[in-house]
């Protein structure tokens, strides 16, 4: 089931997903934190319009840009991203790096995905895995599991598979970051 049409901006897709979650979400309490959850949610966003514009959400656009650059640079260091969002320090186990940072895994595997797409425009093998197998106890278990890229209909599509996606906190930033990968 889709929460938005393929031509939805991040704002439209976010509003539709939020409305659906409030209407149909089931109560779940992972780690004792009450939340509304929809299993198997699919949201489609026009990657040409990846920035959420909602006064109610009050995004930090400086952090939005900084996080995308941080991930694309393959960085996992606290010191380079925390100035844009001080709360992030709470998720580092050692105060220096983030266990679940996507950047290093994306940077290491992106050349493979690009090679696959260039060698076979119809490939379904242009996949990047961001999940850390059998994670230890950590403050930073990755939410994103994998990204798959497909060239279809003259467009490059990015499919992002999440084990968890917080519509209010992380989703707006993730959409922008992952759309930046397609824009490279």
């Amino acid at each position: 089931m889709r929460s938005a049409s393929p031509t939805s901006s991040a704002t439209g897709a976010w509003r539709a997903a939020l409305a659906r979650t409030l209407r149909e979400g089931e109560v779940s309490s992972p780690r004792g934190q009450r939340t509304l959850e929809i299993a198997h949610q699919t949201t489609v966003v026009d990657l040409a319009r990846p920035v959420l514009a909602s006064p109610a959400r009050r995004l930090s656009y400086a952090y939005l840009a900084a996080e995308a650059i941080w991930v694309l640079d393959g960085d996992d260091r606290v010191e380079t991203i925390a100035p844009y969002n001080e709360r992030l320090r709470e998720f580092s186990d050692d105060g220096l790096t983030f266990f679940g940072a996507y950047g290093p895994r994306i940077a290491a595997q992106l050349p493979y995905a690009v090679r696959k797409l260039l060698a076979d425009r119809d490939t379904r093998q242009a996949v990047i895995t961001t999940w850390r197998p059998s994670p230890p106890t950590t403050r930073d278990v990755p939410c994103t599991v994998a990204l798959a890229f497909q060239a279809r209909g003259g467009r490059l599509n990015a499919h992002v598979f999440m084990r968890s996606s917080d519509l209010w906190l992380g989703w707006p930033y993730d959409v922008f970051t992952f759309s930046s990968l397609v824009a490279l």
Side-chain angles (χ1 to χ4, degrees), residues 71-128:
V71 169
L72 295 174
D73 276 350
D75 206 342
D76 66 354
R77 295 171 297 153
V78 173
E79 71 183 43
T80 52
I81 194 63
Y84 300 95
N85 184 341
E86 280 296 324
R87 282 204 62 225
L88 291 177
R89 291 183 190 283
E90 299 169 25
F91 299 98
S92 173
D93 297 317
D94 62 7
L96 301 174
T97 62
F98 294 98
F99 173 81
Y102 308 144
R105 292 177 127 23
I106 289 172
Q109 296 172 70
L110 191 58
Y112 164 82
V114 170
R115 279 193 312 273
K116 284 296 190 181
L117 288 164
L118 290 173
D120 177 3
R121 63 192 264 183
D122 293 325
T123 191
R124 293 182 300 236
Q125 296 179 10
V127 177
I128 294 173

Side-chain angles (χ1 to χ4, degrees), residues 25-170:
E26 295 183 20
V27 175
S28 178
S29 297
R31 296 180 321 282
Q33 298 176 8
R34 188 176 187 276
T35 186
L36 290 177
E37 175 180 273
I38 291 184
H40 311 294
Q41 170 78 12
T42 299
T43 305
V44 180
V45 176
D46 177 350
L47 297 181
R49 300 184 292 161
V51 178
L52 175 65
S54 172
R57 177 53 185 84
R58 296 187 321 210
L59 285 180
S60 166
Y61 294 104
Y63 174 64
L64 182 92
E67 183 186 43
I69 292 167
W70 185 71
V71 169
L72 295 174
D73 276 350
D75 206 342
D76 66 354
R77 295 171 297 153
V78 173
E79 71 183 43
T80 52
I81 194 63
Y84 300 95
N85 184 341
E86 280 296 324
R87 282 204 62 225
L88 291 177
R89 291 183 190 283
E90 299 169 25
F91 299 98
S92 173
D93 297 317
D94 62 7
L96 301 174
T97 62
F98 294 98
F99 173 81
Y102 308 144
R105 292 177 127 23
I106 289 172
Q109 296 172 70
L110 191 58
Y112 164 82
V114 170
R115 279 193 312 273
K116 284 296 190 181
L117 288 164
L118 290 173
D120 177 3
R121 63 192 264 183
D122 293 325
T123 191
R124 293 182 300 236
Q125 296 179 10
V127 177
I128 294 173
T129 304
T130 53
W131 180 253
R132 300 280 302 262
S134 304
T137 300
T138 178
R139 295 179 191 167
D140 188 30
V141 175
C143 291
T144 304
V145 175
L147 300 103
F149 301 94
Q150 292 180 333
R152 300 292 187 271
R155 296 185 316 210
L156 180 60
N157 298 301
H159 306 271
V160 181
F161 303 90
M162 309 285 283
R163 68 161 182 86
S164 179
S165 181
D166 184 319
L167 270 171
W168 190 260
L169 291 176

